[in-house]
Structures are given as structure tokens and as C-alpha cells.
Amino acid sequence: MFMPVGTVASVKGVPQEVLEELGVEILLGNTYHLYLRPGVELIRTLGGLHRFMSWPRAILTDSGGFQVFSLSDLRKVSEEGVTFRSHLDGSSHFFRPESAIQAQIEIGADIIMAFDECTEYPAERERVRGSMELTLRWAERSKMYFEEHKGEVPWRSFRPTQLACPDEASGPTCSEETQALFGIVQGGMDLELRKESAERTRGIGFAGYAIGGLSVGEPRHVTREIVEATVERLPADQPRYLMGVGTPEEIVDYTNLGIDMMDCVLPTRAARHGLLFTSEGKISIKQAQYASDQAPLDPLCGCRVCRRYSRAYLRHLYASNEILAQVLNTIHNLSFYLDTMRAVRHSISLGRGARFLSEVWSRAKP
Amino acid sequence: MFMPVGTVASVKGVPQEVLEELGVEILLGNTYHLYLRPGVELIRTLGGLHRFMSWPRAILTDSGGFQVFSLSDLRKVSEEGVTFRSHLDGSSHFFRPESAIQAQIEIGADIIMAFDECTEYPAERERVRGSMELTLRWAERSKMYFEEHKGEVPWRSFRPTQLACPDEASGPTCSEETQALFGIVQGGMDLELRKESAERTRGIGFAGYAIGGLSVGEPRHVTREIVEATVERLPADQPRYLMGVGTPEEIVDYTNLGIDMMDCVLPTRAARHGLLFTSEGKISIKQAQYASDQAPLDPLCGCRVCRRYSRAYLRHLYASNEILAQVLNTIHNLSFYLDTMRAVRHSISLGRGARFLSEVWSRAKP
């Protein structure tokens, strides 16, 4: 599955009913952003994030570790946790594994993440080992806190009507439902440390496992090597989640390596910059060649944008800096990613292997 | 009818399929903006504005006169026409009645407007008379040019499939269809000049009549007085269009005075500033009082925003400067305006008078 990123409880420009129509089954929310605005306490009071943003399907929240690493100017890491400054107003905050889990319990996503340190790149081996060990200790603390407090999710007492209890015979009753906590593998670009991190994280025991600390500036072949070596150390019968990846080609490739879940800002962010993914390759809609092009953006795409609008119109909206450009471009790119993943799942369900998927993909490119 | 404003071939932030769902029957496009970007020639080549923006329902374009008046820094009016500078790049352009009509024929809206001079406010009586006389001469030239060239609309030879020919027995064949040209009444804030302008414009003969040059800074009671005096000099069996007006209260009021058509940026522009029209009055969604308000924006509204999202969520989107705030707020405000006009039409169809409409309106306000 591919998870669109809805940083502050919104996939930028796209109403939730359109996300449903696109077939989005799970959204990613950013704990760091939600903690700063509108604040965790408010979300909890209003019954949790599903109810707050009117999203009845699944949500995953990250732990805030990556945003503290990438967005905060001043951060200070200690054994206890991380002091950081808000990118909004410069105010000072402290996240520890326990508070990051507490925040995620109050937000109430279906899947939440252990608090980790995202190791910078490049880094010396000793630094990477130290950071990995810290992440492992934080993983233990995250799990311990979660086990003690997992009953405190806001929706156990405050379940929105559209999220009706499943049939009690076929699953847990609402009152027994809790979130799923995933661990995060770190270890920089060091294959041995990655394997060790995977095995020791697995030893702590989580509902699923993420591979973090990639796409931080390293070459693409290194990312792939790390993923390949790490994923085989993670249990195949539990979700394996590669964080912050990638292009359409990459998400197919990583699926074939055994990855079950991915998220990335690429489809949504690229859309806002006029970069559109199509079955004929990537299109920069601002280019003059599209000014009088009456073809749909992607003739093979059935999304509401390709069914109705021409490249000429989309190019005009972008050139005129119209809000609708961001809206329509984002809808199309998400549709393309979700179609890609649907094709991957369909192919898997037919028992066809990695090679087939890659071939389909290559054929679709110019 | 109320016409949402789609300045450069888009109602900011709202896809055309949502406008259809809202029940928008006619959109306004701005000739001045479309002339500058994407350009009239491009729109003509692509089959006209309906096809370019994928909008199968009606469109009205203004003549550009008001935008030249309000947006252009340097403009110079002569008998022949207006020299003005583009607000985009400062380039110099010249509009004369003939070229404004030519541009509107190439854009291909269903209703187009004569080229007029929007008199500034305040102005001396002699200046207002001179300006009104100029608008009358331009109205004659507009009509003459239109009559000679009305067969040149792009869709006569290039009709998009979704705009299928009506049944030939019940109306003109496609090949005979032309646009409707409306005249514009000017005359500043002078009741006598307005009456004279109305009668002489009527004398030239148009398919419909607009009242222009209002909402340019004059007090509201003056606007109303001018409308009341002007509308009764215009034929009741042809469309009477009040340009650039107004609040929900005003559009009901003007309908009761005999106005058939209105357009205004207010619902869309206010939405982008977080000002929302509801049956309980105007709401500024940025206010802290809405931070944890779980009620829908307007409990009496059935639009897709009010059916799904809370005030708390809309407030959060606005406070976080999310694109979705502009999208959802605009959808709601347009829905409110269109609901208002539907109620007005329903009441008219029941044979109920002005008083009733005003009362319904007052009851709905707090």
C-alpha cells in the first residue's frame, strides 16, 4: 500500500471525499506538525484524528523523530529525548519516547510509530552505531509506555458513528480495540548495523516494522541495497514499511523486494510544482509545448482530472497560478500512485513475480 | 440567477464537476484577464472557452471595460477606445468596442457584453454625462460589430461533444446559434442620467440589459436608489443584469426590485479570507471560538462541506494556511449563494412577492 501524506490533517488541496473516491485506504499524519497545530489535546478532546478530519479509513502517524531531524533548527539529543524548536514560532519543546507515544495515543491513529533518532548522512560508523543503540533503547521505552497506556485512545469512549463497530463475531469489540505500534529500524548506510538493528528491533517485538533513516541524501543504489538487506531480516508475515519512499518506479521495485507499505510526499509535492506522473513518463505541465495540447494529461488514466480536463487547461491553470492547478494536479498524481499500487497488488494476487511487475512498468514508460 | 466569477477560466479552487453539483448554471469569465492569459487566439483555436475549461453550461463574459478601469495603472480613454497597461507585465494594449466584441466572439461565451466606460466615483455631472454619451456611442459600435461578426463563434464549427445540438425541432440548429449581446447602462449616481442611459440603450436594442458602474465606492443606499430607478426603465421581458453585486441580503433585495442576473466575487473572495455566509449570519472561521466547535459550519446547509466537516476542522485548515481551507470555504459560500437564489426562484414560482422573500431572509438571520 501507498500512504498519501496528510501532514496537518489534510492532503494539501484534496477533500476527504475525493481521497475516498481515489481509493485511499490509509493516510499518514505527522505527529510533529499535529502536536504544534492544532495540538494533541484538542484532537483528543474532539474524539481523535479520524473524527477531527472526518476520515473513517485508516491513519498512521509517525513519531515526530524525522521531522525533529529535518525541520527543527535547534535540536539537542540526549539519552532522555530531544529538545527542539518549533519551525512555526521558535518555541522550545521536548519529545521523549514516552511523550511521543502519548501524543500518538491521543491523536488516535490506527498505526503509530516508536520514537527513533534519524541518523544524519553521512556519519562515522561509531556515530551510526551509537545512534542505532539509542533508537533501540527508545524502542523499548516506546513499547513499554504503549503497553501501559494503549487503552487510552480517544475513540474507545468516543467513536464517530461512521466508524461503526465491526461485527463482534468477526473481530474484537470496539471497547477492546487498540492501536498497532510499529518499530523502526535504523543503522545508517551500514549493512551490518542495519541487520543488527532489524534483528534486535524484532526481538523487542512490534506489530509491524519500518525501515527509517533512508532518503536522507544517500545515492539511490545505496538506499536499495540497504532495503534489500534489511527487509529479509524482518518477518514476512508482518507489515514491512519503508518510510519516505519514493518514485513510482521505486515503489514497484521495493514492493518486489518485500516491502508492504510506503509513504512519500513526492506525488503531492511534485503536483504542486506542476510535475505530473503519467503512463508516458513524467510531465512538467508548465512547458509551452502543452499550451494548446487538447489531449488528457494521461490517456490511460481514468481519474476525474484525466476524464475531464486537457493538458492545455492544466497548463493554463498552472501558468496563471490558480489554486485549481494544485488541486487537480494533486488528484491526478495520487490517482497515478494508487493505480500503480493496485496494479502491483493485482499482479501479486495472480501469483506473478517481481519480473512481471517491473516489465509492466517498463513497458508503460516511453 | 447568481453567476460565480471564474476570472481566468476557473472559479478559484473549485473543479467544474463540483460547480455542476452545486447547481451553477452560468459562470462569469473576465475578458480582460482571458485576453492577457491564456490569450483569445488560443481559446478560439481550442474551440472556445466552454471546451477549453470543460464547462458545458452557460458562460457570460464581461467586455473588459470594468477591469481596465479597476486593474490597469495607466489607462487613456479616447473616442476610439482605451489604451491600458497589463497588470501582469506592464505591456501596453488597446481595446476599442470592436476589438472587445471580437475578443468575446472568439472566447465564445453564451452572453457577451457591450464595451463601456465605467465612470469613476465621485464625478462631476458634466463628466458623468460625457462618459455616459461615450458608452452609448460605444454601445452602437459594439452592436454594429456584433451583428456583422456574430457568426464567427468558434463552436459553430467546433462544438464539443458534451455540448450536443438541442433537438432541432425545439430550437435553432447548432449552425444557426449565436451569442446574445447585452447593453450596459451607465450614468454614475445621477438618477436622470441613469434613466436617460436606460432608455437610449434600450433604443439601440440588445438581448438583455446590464446596470454597470455601481459598487464603485458609493454608499449602499445610493446603489439601491439607482438600481430601483433604472430597472423600471428596462424591459421586464428581457434579462436585467446588475453587475458586481452583492451580499446575500442584497441579491435577494435586488431580485425583488426586478433584477434577474447578478455576479459578484464576494462569496469566493470572502471564502479565501475565511469569511463564511451561513443561515445564522456571517462567520469569521479564524476566530478562536470555533477551535473546538464540532458543529457543521451551517446546520441548515446541505453542501458537501457542511455534511462532512466541523467548524473546528475548517478553523484548523484556515489557521494552518492549508489549500483545502480555500477549497472548502469557497464550495460552501457558493452553495449558500446558490441556495439563496434557489429559494428566491421557488418563492417567485409560487407567486409570492417581495415582502415574503425579505421575511424569509430576515427570519434566517440571528
Side-chain angles (χ1 to χ4, degrees):
Chain A
M1 60 171 71
F2 179 81
M3 300 183 280
V5 177
T7 301
V8 274
S10 166
V11 176
K12 296 191 189 307
V14 186
Q16 276 72 305
E17 57 273 22
V18 176
L19 297 173
E20 286 178 350
E21 173 190 294
L22 288 169
V24 175
E25 293 291 345
I26 175 166
L27 281 183
L28 183 140
N30 290 119
T31 298
Y32 166 87
H33 290 88
L34 293 167
Y35 162 86
L36 293 177
R37 194 166 57 187
V40 166
E41 168 64 13
L42 180 72
I43 295 174
R44 186 189 61 74
T45 309
L46 298 181
L49 186 56
H50 293 86
R51 188 180 171 95
F52 176 64
M53 66 182 290
S54 188
W55 179 250
R57 300 184 185 175
I59 302 174
L60 177 148
T61 46
D62 63 12
S63 63
F66 182 76
Q67 276 69 36
V68 166
F69 164 83
S70 62
L71 289 178
S72 181
D73 283 339
L74 288 165
R75 75 196 140 90
K76 214 183 115 208
V77 181
S78 68
E79 181 64 30
E80 188 53 24
V82 186
T83 307
F84 62 95
R85 287 194 183 281
S86 159
H87 72 292
L88 295 176
D89 63 3
S91 57
S92 186
H93 301 267
F94 186 67
F95 267 4
R96 48 211 291 279
E98 293 79 8
S99 62
I101 299 299
Q102 177 64 31
Q104 290 183 84
I105 290 173
E106 295 188 36
I107 291 169
D110 304 273
I111 301 174
I112 68 176
M113 305 302 297
F115 192 61
D116 63 329
E117 184 187 42
C118 180
T119 317
E120 68 281 1
Y121 174 84
E124 296 296 322
R125 186 160 206 268
E126 276 320 292
R127 159 67 192 143
V128 177
R129 168 166 285 284
S131 174
M132 180 200 85
E133 296 279 1
L134 181 66
T135 288
L136 284 164
R137 291 191 296 277
W138 285 0
E140 299 235 36
R141 286 167 58 187
S142 293
K143 187 182 177 188
M144 186 171 302
Y145 189 90
F146 176 72
E147 291 300 334
E148 283 165 12
H149 297 271
K150 64 185 178 186
E152 297 166 14
V153 281
W155 33 264
R156 276 178 79 148
S157 53
F158 197 169
R159 196 133 176 105
T161 50
Q162 74 260 44
L163 301 171
C165 271
D167 178 27
E168 299 203 3
S170 67
T173 61
C174 279
S175 61
E176 285 169 1
E177 283 180 354
T178 62
Q179 300 168 293
L181 176 65
F182 281 22
I184 303 180
V185 174
Q186 290 287 351
M189 306 307 153
D190 185 308
L191 288 178
E192 290 310 310
L193 290 179
R194 282 280 172 179
K195 288 178 191 169
E196 182 179 341
S197 175
E199 274 156 20
R200 289 172 63 190
T201 306
R202 191 174 170 175
I204 297 169
F206 291 96
Y209 298 89
I211 304 174
L214 294 178
S215 285
V216 288
E218 78 280 8
R220 287 291 161 86
H221 74 271
V222 173
T223 321
R224 193 180 190 284
E225 225 178 314
I226 298 290
V227 172
E228 197 165 13
T230 310
V231 76
E232 64 189 24
R233 305 291 169 126
L234 295 173
D237 59 349
Q238 284 183 274
R240 298 182 287 195
Y241 164 27
L242 178 56
M243 305 180 87
V245 165
T247 66
E249 293 86 344
E250 286 167 353
I251 66 174
V252 175
D253 185 38
Y254 290 128
T255 302
N256 291 331
L257 294 181
I259 294 295
D260 302 296
M261 301 167 63
M262 285 160 284
D263 76 281
C264 195
V265 293
L266 185 58
T268 43
R269 185 174 290 166
R272 298 198 301 279
H273 292 96
L275 295 170
L276 301 169
F277 297 97
T278 80
S279 58
E280 298 172 351
K282 210 157 70 177
I283 280 181
S284 173
I285 199 67
K286 72 186 77 172
Q287 290 176 8
Q289 63 175 300
Y290 302 117
S292 59
D293 187 339
Q294 303 204 58
L297 180 53
D298 183 349
L300 300 184
C301 176
C303 83
R304 61 161 72 199
V305 180
C306 291
R307 283 200 313 267
R308 181 153 196 161
Y309 304 101
S310 66
R311 291 173 174 183
Y313 183 62
L314 295 175
R315 196 255 177 189
H316 162 69
L317 291 178
Y318 189 83
S320 304
N321 203 23
E322 283 289 302
I323 304 168
L324 192 57
Q326 306 193 22
V327 174
L328 298 182
N329 291 348
T330 303
I331 291 173
H332 169 77
N333 270 1
L334 283 181
S335 176
F336 187 79
Y337 266 66
L338 293 162
D339 275 353
T340 299
M341 291 308 291
R342 267 188 289 270
V344 165
R345 283 194 297 271
H346 181 63
S347 193
I348 290 172
S349 76
L350 296 176
R352 291 175 187 162
R355 182 171 292 276
F356 175 75
L357 293 177
S358 306
E359 276 173 9
V360 167
W361 189 255
S362 317
R363 269 210 306 279
K365 287 196 297 175
Chain B
M1 60 170 71
F2 179 81
M3 300 183 280
V5 177
T7 300
V8 274
S10 166
V11 175
K12 295 190 188 309
V14 185
Q16 276 72 305
E17 58 272 22
V18 176
L19 297 174
E20 286 177 349
E21 174 190 294
L22 287 169
V24 175
E25 294 291 345
I26 175 166
L27 280 182
L28 184 140
N30 291 117
T31 297
Y32 167 87
H33 290 88
L34 293 167
Y35 162 86
L36 293 177
R37 196 166 57 188
V40 167
E41 169 63 15
L42 179 72
I43 295 175
R44 186 189 61 75
T45 308
L46 298 182
L49 186 57
H50 294 87
R51 188 180 170 95
F52 177 65
M53 67 181 289
S54 187
W55 178 251
R57 301 185 184 174
I59 302 175
L60 178 148
T61 47
D62 62 12
S63 63
F66 182 74
Q67 275 70 35
V68 166
F69 165 82
S70 63
L71 289 177
S72 181
D73 282 339
L74 287 166
R75 73 195 142 89
K76 214 184 115 208
V77 181
S78 68
E79 181 64 31
E80 187 53 24
V82 186
T83 307
F84 62 95
R85 287 195 183 281
S86 160
H87 74 291
L88 295 176
D89 63 4
S91 56
S92 185
H93 301 267
F94 186 66
F95 267 3
R96 49 212 289 279
E98 293 78 8
S99 62
I101 299 300
Q102 177 64 31
Q104 291 183 84
I105 290 173
E106 296 187 37
I107 291 169
D110 304 273
I111 301 173
I112 68 176
M113 304 302 296
F115 192 61
D116 63 329
E117 185 186 43
C118 181
T119 318
E120 68 281 2
Y121 174 84
E124 296 295 322
R125 187 159 204 267
E126 276 319 290
R127 157 68 189 141
V128 177
R129 168 165 284 285
S131 174
M132 180 200 86
E133 296 279 0
L134 181 65
T135 288
L136 284 165
R137 290 191 297 275
W138 285 0
E140 299 235 36
R141 285 167 59 187
S142 294
K143 188 183 175 187
M144 186 172 302
Y145 188 90
F146 176 72
E147 291 300 334
E148 284 164 12
H149 297 271
K150 64 186 178 185
E152 297 166 13
V153 281
W155 34 264
R156 276 179 79 149
S157 54
F158 197 173
R159 196 132 176 106
T161 50
Q162 74 260 45
L163 301 171
C165 271
D167 179 26
E168 300 204 1
S170 67
T173 61
C174 279
S175 61
E176 287 170 0
E177 283 181 352
T178 61
Q179 301 169 293
L181 175 66
F182 281 22
I184 303 180
V185 174
Q186 290 287 350
M189 306 307 155
D190 186 307
L191 288 178
E192 290 311 308
L193 290 179
R194 282 281 171 179
K195 286 178 193 171
E196 182 180 340
S197 175
E199 274 157 21
R200 289 172 61 190
T201 306
R202 192 175 169 174
I204 298 169
F206 290 96
Y209 298 89
I211 303 174
L214 295 177
S215 286
V216 289
E218 78 281 8
R220 286 292 160 87
H221 74 271
V222 173
T223 320
R224 193 180 189 286
E225 226 178 314
I226 299 290
V227 172
E228 196 165 12
T230 309
V231 76
E232 65 189 25
R233 304 289 169 127
L234 295 173
D237 58 350
Q238 285 182 275
R240 297 182 289 195
Y241 164 27
L242 179 55
M243 305 181 88
V245 166
T247 65
E249 292 86 344
E250 286 166 353
I251 66 174
V252 174
D253 186 37
Y254 289 128
T255 302
N256 291 332
L257 294 181
I259 295 296
D260 303 295
M261 302 167 63
M262 284 160 284
D263 77 281
C264 195
V265 294
L266 185 57
T268 43
R269 184 174 291 165
R272 299 198 300 278
H273 292 96
L275 294 171
L276 302 169
F277 297 96
T278 80
S279 58
E280 298 172 350
K282 209 156 71 176
I283 281 182
S284 173
I285 199 66
K286 72 186 80 173
Q287 290 176 8
Q289 63 175 301
Y290 302 118
S292 59
D293 187 339
Q294 303 204 57
L297 180 53
D298 183 348
L300 299 185
C301 175
C303 82
R304 61 161 71 200
V305 179
C306 291
R307 283 200 312 268
R308 180 154 195 160
Y309 305 101
S310 66
R311 291 173 173 183
Y313 183 62
L314 295 175
R315 196 255 176 188
H316 162 68
L317 291 178
Y318 189 84
S320 303
N321 203 23
E322 283 289 303
I323 303 169
L324 192 57
Q326 305 193 22
V327 174
L328 298 182
N329 290 349
T330 303
I331 291 172
H332 169 78
N333 271 1
L334 283 181
S335 176
F336 187 79
Y337 265 67
L338 293 162
D339 275 353
T340 299
M341 290 308 291
R342 267 187 288 271
V344 165
R345 284 194 295 270
H346 181 65
S347 194
I348 289 172
S349 76
L350 296 177
R352 290 177 186 159
R355 182 172 291 277
F356 174 75
L357 293 176
S358 307
E359 276 173 9
V360 167
W361 189 255
S362 317
R363 270 209 306 278
K365 287 196 297 176

